[in-house]
Amino acid sequence: MDVQIVTHEVRLQKWTDIVKTCRSSGKTIKKWCADNDIDIKRYYYWQRKVYLQTCRELENVQKSIHTTFPCDETPVFAEINLPKNNAGNIAVSIHRDTMQVNVYSGADAATVETVFAALRQL
């Protein structure tokens, strides 16, 4: 591994620790920097570098999520048990091509999650 890359990673980790410590201190950034004898402009420089690295990492994670789960064309079926007393009280009706999905009022969270998980597979 390149020495410059390792040096940058070590610095970035140090800056990340400083930013986390400051943010969790309960003090304002100005007060925390003064108490810790850190130039506030330097602190904001470090914070910006940590922020940019975090954004890059998040972007890489999002890219890997989209490429990790290929679309499977196999139909997915999920059994949903609806309460008897809500028959006729459709809260949500989803239509796609020749398919129709109805979610009734009072459906529990697990049922709704199952419906949307099945729809994501389509």
Side-chain angles (χ1 to χ4, degrees), residues 28-118:
T28 64
I29 293 172
K30 185 176 181 179
K31 173 73 171 136
W32 187 87
C33 286
D35 290 350
N36 290 278
D37 198 30
I38 295 176
D39 179 64
I40 195 162
K41 288 181 183 178
R42 184 167 297 207
Y43 172 85
Y44 280 119
Y45 170 83
W46 295 337
Q47 179 178 274
R48 187 171 135 263
K49 291 293 186 178
V50 169
Y51 171 78
L52 291 173
Q53 182 62 31
T54 304
C55 288
R56 280 188 220 103
E57 290 173 7
L58 181 60
E59 185 177 305
N60 290 338
V61 167
Q62 288 174 340
K63 285 179 184 177
S64 70
I65 288 173
H66 293 298
T67 57
T68 303
F69 302 107
C71 182
D72 185 7
E73 305 227 354
T74 307
V76 176
F77 297 95
E79 181 179 349
I80 301 173
N81 298 317
L82 298 174
K84 302 272 187 224
N85 60 349
N86 285 326
N89 295 330
I90 298 173
V92 177
S93 183
I94 302 169
H95 301 269
R96 183 173 179 196
D97 299 325
T98 60
M99 177 186 68
Q100 178 177 340
V101 176
N102 296 324
V103 178
Y104 289 81
S105 298
D108 64 340
T111 300
V112 175
E113 287 178 29
T114 303
V115 168
F116 284 111

